[in-house]
Amino acid sequence: MQDVQVRQVVVGTVDEAEILYRGQPLSEVPRFKKTRFSTSLFYTEERVSANILIAALSSVGHDIREITPKERSDFEVRTVTGALLSLEVENLITSDLYITQQIQDLSAGVSEWAFGTAEVASRLQGIQVSFVIPEYSREEELSAASEELKRYLYSTDFSSVDTGRFGPVSSDYSVLSSLQARVLVRRGNSSFVQVTQGARAVASPAVGAYEVIQHLRQYQAQAKARPSHASWLIVWFQSLYNPFSVGAASNLLREIDIAPYDQIIVADGREIAVIMPSASPE
């Protein structure tokens, strides 16, 4: 049985110019990466790792001075007090959030294209277009959906479109129709194009807790099978429909065998748990 200390995730003001990443100020490290559809929606892997390290370590009392990536997901971190920490970082994104992020990427990419294409942008002045995709099964469908969304925006005369209510996308757009996509066109002071998912059922926190424990055990098994010099493991859990609460899962976390690490940090964005060996009885 391990000791588990739960606290709130607290990140104070961070001056990125004062934190070094691979020897250069973090403020100079590219922030966003080009993804499948968009150019400025998701952080680069370097930024994700740095953000996790800063949030997790500052929440447990360690302010970072320098981050040095090693092999795989290993990092060496020097704190402002001069302490040297060896860590691994695992950014755990559940399948439900991954799917949602793909839709967000699609939405951002279509919007970038629409307002970056002069002929389309001029016809979208004062027009707000919202697409909802209730069904989503295969990633390859999104590429075809992207092209059909662009075709819809390029060919639609918005001055003659009924506004104020959702309706099915025309069967001329076969992929969108198969996905049961619906569209709402409104007029307003601002202009936007967005693609969202339909509503889904939300699982209980217990579902998220057991998923985290399962992933954690799998990650530990892999760590034991390969050489690593890291003494700490940080697992940052991100979910959407399978909510996870560090506090609610603290009893489950006590049962985790933390080997080969000296301690494990698990965070859900709101709370953070530090798992370490129980103190020896006196």
Side-chain angles (χ1 to χ4, degrees):
M1 193 73 70
Q2 314 297 332
D3 279 340
V4 176
Q5 299 177 3
V6 178
R7 61 193 73 184
Q8 296 295 311
V9 172
V10 178
V11 182
T13 302
V14 176
D15 185 351
E16 293 187 349
E18 295 296 322
I19 299 176
L20 297 180
Y21 189 97
R22 275 202 179 97
Q24 65 174 324
L26 180 60
S27 56
E28 298 178 8
V29 176
R31 187 177 297 271
F32 297 106
K33 64 181 177 181
K34 186 181 185 307
T35 52
R36 190 174 172 191
F37 301 111
S38 64
T39 60
S40 59
L41 182 63
F42 295 109
Y43 285 126
T44 62
E45 283 74 12
E46 290 84 359
R47 279 285 181 167
V48 170
S49 297
N51 290 344
I52 291 174
L53 285 166
I54 291 169
L57 293 180
S58 64
S59 296
V60 297
H62 296 286
D63 292 326
I64 295 177
R65 175 66 69 205
E66 184 173 6
I67 301 171
T68 304
K70 299 295 184 180
E71 294 182 6
R72 295 179 299 274
S73 57
D74 294 3
F75 293 86
E76 187 176 85
V77 171
R78 188 178 300 279
T79 69
V80 295
T81 62
L84 195 61
L85 306 176
S86 178
L87 313 99
E88 287 184 27
V89 173
E90 173 77 355
N91 185 31
L92 178 55
I93 299 175
T94 56
S95 58
D96 61 323
L97 180 55
Y98 175 78
I99 291 171
T100 298
Q101 288 180 340
Q102 301 311 298
I103 299 293
Q104 291 172 338
D105 187 28
L106 170 65
S107 179
V110 170
S111 180
E112 286 179 11
W113 173 86
F115 291 103
T117 304
E119 185 175 350
V120 178
S122 63
R123 287 189 285 107
L124 284 172
Q125 293 301 310
I127 299 295
Q128 302 168 351
V129 186
S130 300
F131 297 94
V132 173
I133 300 180
E135 300 294 336
Y136 167 62
S137 57
R138 298 187 304 274
E139 282 194 47
E140 54 266 26
E141 289 178 324
L142 289 186
S143 294
S146 173
E147 294 308 310
E148 288 193 352
L149 289 167
K150 292 176 182 178
R151 181 158 61 88
Y152 176 93
L153 294 168
Y154 190 86
S155 60
T156 298
D157 178 7
F158 292 106
S159 65
S160 61
V161 173
D162 289 338
T163 60
R165 59 185 178 87
F166 273 104
V169 174
S170 167
S171 59
D172 293 340
Y173 305 93
S174 58
V175 175
L176 293 176
S177 293
S178 70
L179 294 172
Q180 301 179 34
R182 300 176 69 80
V183 61
L184 167 67
V185 178
R186 294 182 296 187
R187 293 185 175 87
N189 295 327
S190 61
S191 304
F192 63 76
V193 174
Q194 65 180 7
V195 184
T196 60
Q197 280 181 291
R200 290 190 175 191
V202 179
S204 71
V207 175
Y210 281 104
E211 184 172 1
V212 170
I213 299 300
Q214 181 182 20
H215 279 284
L216 190 53
R217 285 173 174 160
Q218 291 174 350
Y219 191 79
Q220 285 177 281
Q222 296 170 1
K224 290 179 181 179
R226 59 175 169 77
S228 174
H229 301 292
S231 56
W232 291 11
L233 169 65
I234 299 175
V235 178
W236 196 272
F237 179 80
Q238 299 184 64
S239 182
L240 188 66
Y241 298 107
N242 290 339
F244 168 68
S245 167
V246 163
S250 59
N251 286 335
L252 289 173
L253 295 174
R254 293 182 198 281
E255 300 176 4
I256 289 292
D257 175 14
I258 66 173
Y261 306 101
D262 295 334
Q263 68 180 36
I264 295 176
I265 296 174
V266 180
D268 62 12
R270 300 173 302 276
E271 294 179 313
I272 191 165
V274 181
I275 312 169
M276 63 187 71
S278 297
S280 301
E282 296 181 0

